[in-house]
Amino acid sequence: MATRETKLLQTGQLAQAAALLRAGKLVAIPTETVYGLAADALNPAAAAAIYAAKGRPSDNPLIVHVASVEEIPLLVRELPDALYRLAEAYWPGPMTVVLPKSERVPDETSGGLDTVAIRIPAHPVARELIRLAGTPLAAPSANLSGKPSPTCAQHCINDLSGRVDAILDGGPCGVGVESTVLTLCTNPPRILRPGAVTLEMLRKVLADIELDEAVFTHLADDQKAASPGMKYKHYAPKAKVVLVHGSSEQFRAFMADKQDAGALCFDEEEKGLCCRCVTYGNGQDAASQAQRLFDALRQLDTENFSLVYAHAAKEGGVGQAVYNRLLRAAGFEEIVLPVVEHGMPACVDL
């Protein structure tokens, strides 16, 4: 695509960023989860420009960001009581809710679906920018499609300089993985993408909520993605990534004869491995893994890894979100290391 001048803005220049958004331009903005590539959600041309800048498939829906619950009725056909209960518990915050869309939401924003995904970000800069722009903002992750999501302004510069009109530097993101997405358009409600608002947390509000089967399985090519991050290979570095399940001892034994490959491992495992390593948090702290995962995946490219074995995160709580992202970064290629009493553990492909 043709290059354009990309301005680097600071948080004291929100009025300039808002003016660009009102004019149908593209601005990468900080949120508490990851940086988003924002445009006027009600402007079909602006929403379409997001797909072009990212190289994103046009049937992959965008998340609409608003500053308050009062802005939502114009975007949806119905407001279930469950939405208000969820909003009271977890908004502003890293939670996205899918609802039946109103006619005001263009197909370019919803990926051709009859639903719209909405959230209220916790990042104060993001909410103030929405207020100044005077319109809901469609904002998927501000990266090239398929690459690891950006958690700092430099990641956005690396991916989108020359493709967008401005990048607003709001510092590093605190959560580090995209928002939890749940749909209220099914009975029972379903989580379509795990995040920092966990299944356990959501069940305190909606006891019957379930995980969609596509969270940990490959969506068929002919199926429509109801949420970002469901269908296509996501979060992937250039290196081939294989996800490995097992204890730290098993992982070290597995890597012992793989000096030509790299390891994506936990902080405490690095000293015990005899290969090049990139770490992504403490093995007992899923929040630290989430916060550092995408930066670690990008580091694999910076250091020119070609094959990487990634030690899988535990799946409880926020660990579900970390595992979901790693699974897609690996293109669903997994190995389980079974427990054996003697000798090296054998590999079992999934």
Side-chain angles (χ1 to χ4, degrees):
M1 63 181 296
T3 61
R4 66 180 84 180
E5 178 189 0
T6 299
K7 299 176 182 178
L8 182 60
L9 303 178
Q10 303 302 317
T11 53
Q13 298 173 289
L14 292 188
Q16 189 174 344
L20 288 170
L21 291 164
R22 285 194 299 272
K25 305 297 185 182
L26 304 182
V27 181
I29 67 170
T31 79
E32 76 278 17
T33 56
V34 300
Y35 273 70
L37 181 53
D40 182 350
L42 305 183
N43 180 335
I50 292 176
Y51 291 95
K54 284 174 56 71
R56 181 184 178 96
S58 61
D59 63 346
N60 198 4
L62 308 177
I63 291 175
V64 176
H65 294 64
V66 297
S68 68
V69 173
E70 287 72 27
E71 298 171 53
I72 296 177
L74 292 177
L75 304 175
V76 301
R77 294 197 306 274
E78 57 186 75
L79 284 166
D81 176 67
L83 174 68
Y84 290 103
R85 289 187 280 134
L86 288 165
E88 183 177 4
Y90 301 121
W91 271 346
M95 176 185 72
T96 295
V97 181
V98 177
L99 297 161
K101 75 170 187 176
S102 74
E103 293 181 355
R104 293 199 63 187
V105 180
D107 286 346
E108 287 82 355
T109 295
S110 66
L113 299 176
D114 194 34
T115 56
V116 60
I118 298 173
R119 92 174 181 102
I120 302 175
H123 201 297
V125 170
R127 289 204 311 281
E128 179 62 17
L129 182 59
I130 295 166
R131 284 191 283 265
L132 289 173
T135 185
L137 298 181
S141 54
N143 58 314
L144 291 175
S145 186
K147 290 191 66 175
S149 296
T151 55
C152 65
Q154 187 60 52
H155 293 164
C156 302
I157 293 169
N158 294 345
D159 278 13
L160 298 178
S161 184
R163 289 172 169 262
V164 303
D165 299 285
I167 295 169
L168 177 61
D169 188 350
C173 300
V175 175
V177 293
E178 301 88 348
S179 60
T180 304
V181 179
L182 65 141
T183 179
L184 295 181
C185 297
T186 60
N187 187 17
R190 295 201 311 266
I191 293 177
L192 305 179
R193 182 178 71 186
V197 178
T198 66
L199 174 63
E200 295 83 359
M201 292 166 65
L202 289 168
R203 280 181 172 164
K204 292 178 181 179
V205 178
L206 303 178
D208 60 344
I209 193 167
E210 297 178 350
L211 273 179
D212 191 278
E213 62 179 10
V215 168
F216 298 123
T217 58
H218 194 288
L219 198 64
D221 291 340
D222 60 351
Q223 288 182 269
K224 278 256 188 184
S227 162
M230 288 186 73
K231 185 173 183 181
Y232 300 92
K233 185 177 181 181
H234 271 51
Y235 324 116
K238 295 175 184 175
K240 175 181 173 63
V241 177
V242 179
L243 198 53
V244 180
H245 296 262
S247 68
S248 290
E249 292 75 17
Q250 289 173 290
F251 187 69
R252 281 194 290 269
F254 173 77
M255 294 300 299
D257 62 349
K258 295 177 175 59
Q259 290 85 351
D260 292 339
L264 182 64
C265 62
F266 304 123
D267 297 342
E268 63 272 22
E269 296 173 331
E270 183 175 15
K271 289 184 178 179
L273 294 168
C274 53
C275 61
R276 288 197 298 153
C277 300
V278 171
T279 63
Y280 74 103
N282 185 288
Q284 305 305 313
D285 182 5
S288 75
Q289 296 163 25
Q291 204 277 331
R292 291 171 53 188
L293 177 62
F294 288 140
D295 188 65
L297 289 172
R298 285 175 175 268
Q299 188 178 339
L300 298 178
D301 284 346
T302 302
E303 299 187 15
N304 296 314
F305 285 86
S306 57
L307 172 62
V308 175
Y309 292 98
H311 196 184
K314 295 181 180 179
E315 295 177 31
V318 182
Q320 276 191 337
V322 178
Y323 173 52
N324 169 269
R325 277 34 169 213
L326 280 170
L327 189 61
R328 280 159 170 76
F332 294 86
E333 187 169 349
E334 300 180 88
I335 293 172
V336 173
L337 302 177
V339 177
V340 293
E341 294 188 7
H342 302 287
M344 290 279 194
C347 300
V348 178
D349 290 325
L350 287 181

